[in-house]
């Protein structure tokens, strides 16, 4: 059986770690293209200036436009070559990180997430959008980032909702990896560089990836609530450190090398509902996880553990929790149909999944979540 696992070359996480960014730039040369939103640059300016001075490196600012589009990527690549940049830095949230991945194309890339809202930082993939923000395509690169650098002090000072959303994204990881493994479905780690179209190179998950996904879930249950409280108080505790590691490293390796399944496909389906747009990716994924557990008829005890966890940190467990107070039959069918298109990860479940089965699981999950809240 062909198996694959992919990961960053180096992952470093610690308090005030941003002050060491210059050290990592130095391993590539002396100058770095800094791709970051102006607000994020302002937020970390003192650390950037300090590390530039200490290590004698130069940051080339990029006036990042905010969207990961082909046009913006081409502009930034030209800027990097004009300035002879030795490496690329993606600093901030998802868009800056994805854009940096596209600009670097798998070479000399340092990723610095300033929030722990998703598990995207470690991956070798990015999502491209049109300049007006509509989905364009997925992109895959020959390697994961060279360095993923996490400053836990910065994460502790970001709004808690980001951290909790990251826990929602991480919550699905074990259940999706377990389903993928049972189904012997393909994992993203096997995807070669280039765009998804024409891909013919399947690989299955490793035991290592499933072990990381399992640890991810155990960490959430053990430290999720304590980490949320620490983030509320803007302090770094061991529980917060453990959850940052779970949200970014364990979930990142877990989803990419362990596989996605129903939870993310249901998330993708839910995005067609207007009401969900003001909710974060991980918040919708949390509800998608509850739906997956219903779809696969997971043991009641497991479902209750997940519901208790979601309530303890404030993650959604009903449609109303993600902005959907009412849903028509047509809308429900459209959500399920989108979740079941041929290229969706719902087909990584270890049984055939139909549109009707997804509709039933969403309705039942919503009722179970609502009843659970009432107690
Ligand atoms: Zn996700």
């Amino acid at each position: 059986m062909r198996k694959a696992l992919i990961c960053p070359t180096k992952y470093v996480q610690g308090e005030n770690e941003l002050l060491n960014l210059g050290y990592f730039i130095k391993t590539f040369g002396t100058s770095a293209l800094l791709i970051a939103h102006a607000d994020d640059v302002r937020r970390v300016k003192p650390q950037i200036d300090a590390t530039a001075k200490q290590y004698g490196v130069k940051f080339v600012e990029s006036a990042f436009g905010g969207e990961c589009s082909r046009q913006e990527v081409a502009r930034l690549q030209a800027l990097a070559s004009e300035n002879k940049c030795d490496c690329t830095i993606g600093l901030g949230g998802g868009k800056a990180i994805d854009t940096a991945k596209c600009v670097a194309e798998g070479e000399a890339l340092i990723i610095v997430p300033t929030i722990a809202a998703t598990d995207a930082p470690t991956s070798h993939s990015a999502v491209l959008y049109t300049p007006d923000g509509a989905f364009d395509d997925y992109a895959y690169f020959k390697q994961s980032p060279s360095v993923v650098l996490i400053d836990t002090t910065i994460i502790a000072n970001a709004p808690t909702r980001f951290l909790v959303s990251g826990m929602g994204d991480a919550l699905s990881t074990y259940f999706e990896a377990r389903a993928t493994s049972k189904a012997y479905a393909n994992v993203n780690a096997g995807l070669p560089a280039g765009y998804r179209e024409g891909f013919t190179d399947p690989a299955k998950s490793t035991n290592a990836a499933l072990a990381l996904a399992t640890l991810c879930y155990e960490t959430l249950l053990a430290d999720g609530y304590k980490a949320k409280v620490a983030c509320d108080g803007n302090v770094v505790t061991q529980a917060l450190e453990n959850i940052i590691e779970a949200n970014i490293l364990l979930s990142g390796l877990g989803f990419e090398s362990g596989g996605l399944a129903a939870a993310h496909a249901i998330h993708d389906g839910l995005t067609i509902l207007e009401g969900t747009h003001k909710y974060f990716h991980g918040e919708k994924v949390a509800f998608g996880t509850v739906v997956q557990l219903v779809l696969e008829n997971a043991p009641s005890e497991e479902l209750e553990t997940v519901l208790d966890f979601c309530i303890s940190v404030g993650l959604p467990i009903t449609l109303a929790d993600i902005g959907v107070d009412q849903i028509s039959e047509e809308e429900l069918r459209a959500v399920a149909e989108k979740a079941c298109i041929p290229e969706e990860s719902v087909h990584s479940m270890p049984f055939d999944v139909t549109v009707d089965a997804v509709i039933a699981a969403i309705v039942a999950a919503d009722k179970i979540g609502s009843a659970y809240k009432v107690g």
Side-chain angles (χ1 to χ4, degrees):
M1 196 187 302
R2 186 168 190 264
K3 299 181 174 196
L5 180 138
I6 193 164
C7 58
T9 309
K10 194 158 203 168
Y11 176 89
V12 185
Q13 154 186 331
E15 285 164 84
N16 300 309
E17 193 56 42
L18 198 51
L19 294 171
N20 294 326
L21 179 55
Y23 165 82
F24 292 102
I25 293 169
K26 260 220 131 153
T27 63
F28 299 109
T30 53
S31 70
L33 181 69
L34 178 62
I35 300 174
H37 197 275
D39 293 341
D40 287 319
V41 176
R42 255 195 304 280
R43 211 172 135 205
V44 298
K45 191 89 175 96
Q47 294 96 316
I48 295 276
D49 290 345
T51 197
K53 197 167 164 216
Q54 185 181 350
Y55 292 98
V57 295
K58 190 176 114 198
F59 289 91
V60 175
E61 294 210 17
S62 65
F64 173 51
E67 195 54 86
C68 181
S69 66
R70 290 170 201 263
Q71 290 81 346
E72 182 66 350
V73 169
R75 181 185 75 81
L76 292 165
Q77 283 177 330
L79 187 66
S81 83
E82 264 164 48
N83 287 280
K84 299 190 170 42
C85 294
D86 299 305
C87 62
T88 307
I89 296 170
L91 181 146
K95 301 272 186 182
I97 289 172
D98 274 13
T99 305
K101 287 178 184 175
C102 293
V103 169
E105 295 180 331
E107 299 276 5
L109 171 64
I110 304 174
I111 295 292
V112 188
T114 52
I115 53 176
T118 73
D119 54 18
T122 59
S123 83
H124 78 311
S125 61
V127 187
L128 282 158
Y129 292 85
T130 66
D132 0 299
F135 174 79
D136 179 351
D137 204 352
Y138 295 99
Y140 293 91
F141 308 102
K142 62 181 177 186
Q143 282 164 37
S144 297
S146 319
V147 180
V148 175
L149 187 74
I150 320 276
D151 187 325
T152 52
T153 311
I154 289 186
I155 307 260
N157 282 285
T160 308
R161 187 178 167 195
F162 290 124
L163 184 85
V164 170
S165 178
M167 288 195 243
D169 204 19
L171 177 63
S172 72
T173 305
Y174 164 66
F175 299 105
E176 293 186 287
R178 180 175 75 179
T180 299
S181 165
K182 273 192 200 159
Y184 295 97
N186 295 327
V187 297
N188 282 357
L191 293 169
Y195 297 104
R196 182 189 257 195
E197 254 134 293
F199 168 68
T200 53
D201 219 6
K204 313 299 175 192
S205 71
T206 54
N207 296 329
L210 187 56
L212 293 172
T214 306
L215 180 60
C216 180
Y217 180 51
E218 290 167 355
T219 305
L220 290 174
L221 296 184
D223 288 325
Y225 174 72
K226 287 181 277 177
K228 177 199 174 304
V229 171
C231 196
D232 283 339
N234 304 124
V235 290
V236 177
T237 61
Q238 284 193 30
L240 180 62
E241 289 176 340
N242 289 344
I243 289 301
I244 292 169
E245 183 182 332
N247 286 9
I248 298 178
L249 182 65
L250 299 175
S251 185
L253 271 53
F255 100 80
E256 201 171 29
S257 295
L260 295 173
H264 270 76
I266 286 152
H267 160 278
D268 294 346
L270 289 166
T271 58
I272 67 167
L273 302 173
E274 189 73 38
T276 66
H277 293 177
K278 52 183 190 301
Y279 290 84
F280 294 160
H281 171 82
E283 294 171 333
K284 286 175 266 197
V285 169
F287 179 67
T289 304
V290 179
V291 176
Q292 177 176 324
L293 291 171
V294 172
L295 182 69
E296 64 188 349
N297 197 26
S300 303
E301 198 182 48
E302 188 172 68
L303 182 58
E304 284 167 17
T305 304
V306 166
L307 292 170
D308 283 336
F309 168 75
C310 288
I311 288 172
S312 75
V313 296
L315 278 167
I317 54 169
T318 66
L319 284 170
D321 289 345
I322 49 169
V324 183
D325 293 315
Q326 284 199 317
I327 186 164
S328 68
E329 264 179 52
E330 294 74 44
E331 285 173 325
L332 194 53
R333 182 158 294 274
V335 168
E337 277 171 355
K338 181 158 167 52
C340 291
I341 58 172
E343 52 271 29
E344 261 300 353
S345 56
V346 80
H347 303 296
S348 293
M349 294 301 288
F351 48 86
D352 287 340
V353 177
T354 62
V355 169
D356 286 324
V358 170
I359 292 174
I362 293 172
V363 170
D366 180 49
K367 289 204 179 299
I368 291 168
S370 307
Y372 206 77
K373 282 190 175 184
V374 178

